[in-house]
Amino acid sequence: YMGWIHSLITFYLYEKQDEAIFQLEQLLQQVDTSDLNYLQISNTLFNFYYDTDNFERFKEIQIKLEKQVTKLKINTIDELKLSIKFNYNICRYLWLQNNIQEAISKIIATIKQCREYHTTYLLADLHLLMGNISKDFSDHSVVKEYFKTAHLLYKLDENLQMAMKVEHYMIEID
C-alpha cells in the first residue's frame, strides 16, 4: 500500500513519471494476480501509461484489466468501487480517443452497475461524462438532464466545487 502511495506522490507531486511507473511495475511483480491490490496497482499504472502517452503499454494493460475486472466477483465495497472506477476510466479514455459509441455503451453499462448495487460511487462523474460526450450531437434538453443529474448528485455528496462547475456547463448549453 505504501509503495502505491509513494508512486502517486512521485508521479503527481514530484512529476517524476518514469520513476513512478518503474516503481509500480516493480510493485506489481511482488503482488499475486488474485489479490485486489494487484488490480488497484494495475489501474493506477493504466492511468500513468495514458498520462505519459505510452499508448502501447496502456492498451496492453487495458486488455488484461478488462479481463480481470470482468471476472471479478463483487463481494465487497472495495471490489465494487474498483470495478466502477476502472470502468469510469475506460469510459473517459474512450471519449478522449474519440471512440464515442463505445464510450456511451460503457457509461450506460457502468451506470446500470451503480444502480444494480445501489451505489452513487462515481455516478455523478458518469452523468457528467455522458453530458460532455453527448453535447455535440444530442438535443440540448437531453444533455441538460445529464448535467442536472450530475449536479444533484454532486450536491448530495456535498461536492460544491463540482456542483458549481456543472452549473457553469448548464449555462453554456442554454
Side-chain angles (χ1 to χ4, degrees):
Y1 177 78
M2 293 306 290
W4 175 67
I5 295 294
H6 186 262
S7 73
L8 290 169
I9 292 168
T10 302
F11 192 91
Y12 293 111
L13 182 64
Y14 298 125
E15 298 180 1
K16 295 180 180 178
Q17 286 83 7
D18 291 338
E19 185 179 325
I21 288 170
F22 180 76
Q23 289 171 358
L24 280 187
E25 289 171 339
Q26 295 300 306
L27 190 58
L28 210 52
Q29 293 176 8
Q30 301 168 19
V31 181
D32 188 74
T33 57
S34 64
D35 189 332
L36 190 60
N37 289 322
Y38 183 89
L39 290 176
Q40 290 173 322
I41 294 166
S42 295
N43 188 51
T44 302
L45 193 54
F46 171 73
N47 291 325
F48 285 3
Y49 287 145
Y50 190 88
D51 291 345
T52 58
D53 297 332
N54 189 343
F55 297 117
E56 185 177 319
R57 295 286 296 154
F58 169 82
K59 197 68 180 165
E60 288 173 19
I61 203 166
Q62 177 185 354
I63 293 165
K64 288 179 189 176
L65 272 170
E66 282 181 328
K67 287 179 185 174
Q68 287 183 286
V69 170
T70 302
K71 288 192 266 181
L72 190 64
K73 291 185 175 139
I74 299 176
N75 296 312
T76 67
I77 296 294
D78 288 339
E79 292 164 340
L80 176 61
K81 285 183 172 183
L82 181 61
S83 174
I84 293 169
K85 182 188 292 185
F86 174 72
N87 287 327
Y88 171 80
N89 287 340
I90 291 290
C91 296
R92 186 173 156 269
Y93 295 130
L94 288 168
W95 173 52
L96 291 172
Q97 294 170 349
N98 212 28
N99 192 340
I100 303 303
Q101 290 306 315
E102 195 174 341
I104 290 170
S105 295
K106 193 75 164 172
I107 291 170
I108 290 169
T110 308
I111 289 172
K112 183 179 176 185
Q113 180 185 26
C114 289
R115 288 185 177 142
E116 181 182 328
Y117 285 94
H118 307 287
T119 182
T120 59
Y121 181 70
L122 294 181
L123 192 56
D125 297 319
L126 288 160
H127 280 87
L128 180 59
L129 184 57
M130 186 67 97
N132 283 322
I133 287 173
S134 61
K135 69 182 175 185
D136 291 334
F137 59 85
S138 287
D139 185 77
H140 287 307
S141 63
V142 173
V143 176
K144 196 164 187 172
E145 278 306 308
Y146 288 123
F147 286 155
K148 281 182 178 179
T149 302
H151 183 258
L152 173 65
L153 291 165
Y154 284 129
K155 283 179 73 173
L156 289 173
D157 201 29
E158 297 182 7
N159 187 341
L160 299 181
Q161 180 180 355
M162 284 305 296
M164 290 185 75
K165 190 178 276 193
V166 174
E167 284 177 23
H168 179 74
Y169 293 158
M170 289 189 292
I171 290 170
E172 283 181 353
I173 63 168
D174 278 337

